[in-house]
Amino acid sequence: MSDNVDKSKAPEWVDSNFLKEVLEYDGNFKNLIINDFHIFSSSALGDHFASIMFRVNITFSAQDHPSEKCSIIIKTLPIVEGFKKDALDKTNIDLFGTEIFMYSKVLTECRKILKSAGYNDLLAARMIYQSTEPHKVIVFEDLSELGYIMFPRTIPNEADTALIFSKLGQYHAATFKLAAEGHKALKLKGGVFNFGDIDMFNYFREPYSFFTVLVETLSGFEEASEKLAKVSFDKIVKNCIQIVNAPGSYEVLNHGDYHIKNMMFKGTNETAISEIVLVDFQICHWGSPAFDLAYMSAIIPPRIRPQAYKHYFDVFIDVLEKSGYKGLLPTFEQLQKDLKSYRILDLYFLGTNSPVLCADKDQLKDEMETLFKNPSLFKVLYSQPTYISYVKELLTVLLQEGFLDDLINSD
């Protein structure tokens, strides 16, 4: 066996015996022998905090298969004692239990609904193995082997945005129909606002202050700066938790972490994308679809959001109608009402998530764990021209709508 330098980061139990168990799991291979394997890290800096992931290239032989090769993705919990492991031990969300449930009980049913409606693109990667004992681990097919790539840009353009929101509309519609048909256990409460004893918000307290300091320096935004100074970070977080967990006008099973790094893309080349597949279903959340929409909008300029939201909703309704849904259809007015009430998430994400998501590979030089341990490292991300332009555009909208005044005057 040979491997690269990242092998030392993989758990010791990822060995020939484990890989043999994985490949024999679905019963397609008998008398399998692992001849060789190579382990590589499969995530870039800033991509994951709640798990560690590896790509394993395997050469094997089996009955009627004398020489075969495959590539798999192994996802498991951090094993090294320290900040990341301690933080995840405190969360009250069963991350791996949720993801196993999603892939084994929900996403396969969603796929059937979407196919019945004529939506034939892949929704999510195929799970080929899962276990919670003795180790929490999930193994997926390697989407890169199917031609999927990570997002080729930092910020989505209008065409990208249409595809991203279309995919969300498909997924949301399928979960909405499943719930209407009596599918059990969909009402999960996840997302960053339900992490429990792990206080994620403390890690963003100092970075949020970088946002308010930035606004103080922006010419023409003196009014916004004065109003932001009257609203504490704790109040913003409290309001976010309340609205996310309040009943929506209608409800779906949100992805819960719907951003550009939790998708993979396919296209005719590395700049024009045409297909999207979703990954990372660990913190799904039952509630208003405005949650996922607001989450993704952390890097979507306000000027293109209305069209994107309408496109999302049109796809949502199209899936329901074509898949034979017989119940009362939600209305776009209901969605708009919820999106307005979710404005508080716009402000929270603007000061926390957006600078990270706006960062290109050259700017994001540290693991998320390192950034959380030393929040001052976030500061450089708040000086990016792309981010500053986005801040100006969204703050202008929030001021015009009177959102900051309403927030100041709220209990």
Side-chain angles (χ1 to χ4, degrees):
M1 184 201 77
S2 60
D3 48 46
N4 75 339
V5 295
D6 284 326
K7 171 68 169 65
S8 61
K9 299 179 183 179
E12 291 183 358
W13 47 264
V14 180
D15 57 15
S16 296
N17 291 331
F18 173 74
L19 297 176
K20 172 181 168 66
E21 182 179 345
V22 168
L23 296 185
E24 289 182 338
Y25 186 73
D26 59 8
N28 291 333
F29 297 108
K30 297 180 180 179
N31 303 322
L32 189 143
I33 298 173
I34 303 294
N35 298 319
D36 195 11
F37 66 94
H38 302 256
I39 302 178
F40 309 86
S41 175
S42 69
S43 58
L45 293 175
D47 281 1
H48 298 281
F49 177 72
S51 60
I52 55 174
M53 297 179 65
F54 303 94
R55 172 176 287 106
V56 186
N57 296 335
I58 308 170
T59 301
F60 66 96
S61 57
Q63 183 177 322
D64 302 323
H65 298 272
S67 180
E68 295 286 338
K69 294 182 178 180
C70 71
S71 180
I72 60 175
I73 301 296
I74 297 176
K75 185 173 187 177
T76 188
L77 290 173
I79 58 172
V80 178
E81 295 295 333
F83 174 82
K84 179 187 281 192
K85 188 175 185 299
D86 290 344
L88 293 174
D89 285 344
K90 295 178 182 178
T91 179
N92 59 5
I93 299 175
D94 181 3
L95 300 174
F96 271 74
T98 297
E99 191 151 34
I100 289 170
F101 167 72
M102 289 299 297
Y103 276 93
S104 60
K105 303 296 184 181
V106 178
L107 296 174
T108 51
E109 296 303 312
C110 287
R111 190 75 207 97
K112 293 176 184 177
I113 291 172
L114 293 175
K115 281 190 174 182
S116 72
Y119 291 82
N120 296 310
D121 288 349
L122 189 64
L123 176 63
R126 182 172 64 93
M127 181 177 70
I128 62 177
Y129 176 90
Q130 59 88 8
S131 179
T132 57
E133 294 292 341
H135 311 287
K136 291 185 177 181
V137 58
I138 307 175
V139 181
F140 301 100
E141 64 183 340
D142 186 352
L143 290 171
S144 67
E145 295 291 298
L146 302 178
Y148 288 91
I149 61 173
M150 296 304 293
F151 192 58
R153 290 172 284 286
T154 302
I155 304 297
N157 59 34
E158 289 190 40
D160 300 333
T161 301
L163 283 170
I164 290 167
F165 280 89
S166 172
K167 198 70 174 188
L168 186 61
Q170 295 169 42
Y171 166 67
H172 278 181
T175 65
F176 181 86
K177 187 171 188 288
L178 282 178
E181 293 173 347
H183 193 291
K184 304 298 183 184
L186 290 180
K187 297 186 178 181
L188 305 168
K189 286 298 180 181
V192 68
F193 300 105
N194 285 296
F195 262 42
D197 290 339
I198 172 177
D199 192 352
M200 294 294 294
F201 310 111
N202 272 335
Y203 305 134
F204 282 112
R205 189 177 302 278
E206 185 176 357
Y208 183 82
S209 71
F210 300 148
F211 161 67
T212 58
V213 169
L214 166 65
V215 178
E216 289 175 4
T217 69
L218 298 180
S219 177
F221 285 84
E222 292 78 11
E223 180 186 359
S225 180
E226 291 175 5
K227 294 181 186 298
L228 287 172
K230 297 177 181 179
V231 182
S232 70
F233 182 68
D234 288 337
K235 182 175 183 177
I236 294 171
V237 169
K238 179 182 176 181
N239 285 10
C240 286
I241 293 172
Q242 288 177 340
I243 192 62
V244 165
N245 290 296
S249 296
Y250 64 95
E251 297 182 320
V252 301
L253 185 55
N254 287 272
H255 178 280
D257 198 14
Y258 197 71
H259 60 77
I260 207 73
K261 292 183 179 180
N262 279 337
M263 310 169 197
M264 292 189 72
F265 302 82
K266 185 185 287 187
T268 54
N269 52 55
E270 291 192 357
T271 57
I273 62 171
S274 57
E275 293 183 28
I276 299 174
V277 63
L278 306 183
V279 301
D280 201 351
F281 288 84
Q282 290 188 318
I283 53 175
C284 298
H285 173 76
W286 181 261
S288 170
F291 180 76
D292 273 348
L293 289 166
Y295 206 111
M296 183 63 223
S297 294
I299 54 171
I300 304 299
R303 65 183 179 278
I304 66 174
R305 288 186 191 180
Q307 182 178 353
Y309 294 157
K310 185 60 167 63
H311 180 62
Y312 154 87
F313 188 78
D314 289 345
V315 171
F316 178 90
I317 295 297
D318 190 59
V319 169
L320 292 178
E321 291 180 337
K322 290 181 178 177
S323 64
Y325 173 74
K326 301 301 182 182
L328 183 67
L329 291 170
T331 67
F332 188 56
E333 288 71 26
Q334 287 178 305
L335 178 62
Q336 289 177 307
K337 175 186 174 184
D338 282 9
L339 285 168
K340 184 176 181 180
S341 68
Y342 271 64
R343 273 301 198 193
I344 187 65
L345 268 70
D346 272 338
L347 180 59
Y348 174 82
F349 291 140
L350 181 62
T352 57
N353 289 30
S354 296
V356 178
L357 294 171
C358 284
D360 61 30
K361 294 178 181 178
D362 293 332
Q363 293 168 313
L364 197 58
K365 298 178 181 179
D366 297 292
E367 294 279 7
M368 288 305 296
E369 177 179 2
T370 303
L371 292 171
F372 283 145
K373 288 170 67 175
N374 187 1
S376 63
L377 295 175
F378 278 101
K379 189 172 185 178
V380 66
L381 303 180
Y382 287 78
S383 61
Q384 304 168 88
T386 301
Y387 172 66
I388 293 173
S389 176
Y390 177 63
V391 167
K392 291 179 177 179
E393 187 169 350
L394 183 53
L395 272 184
T396 298
V397 172
L398 295 179
L399 281 169
Q400 290 174 345
E401 292 182 351
F403 166 78
L404 294 179
D405 289 321
D406 293 341
L407 182 58
I408 292 169
N409 296 325
S410 66
D411 295 332

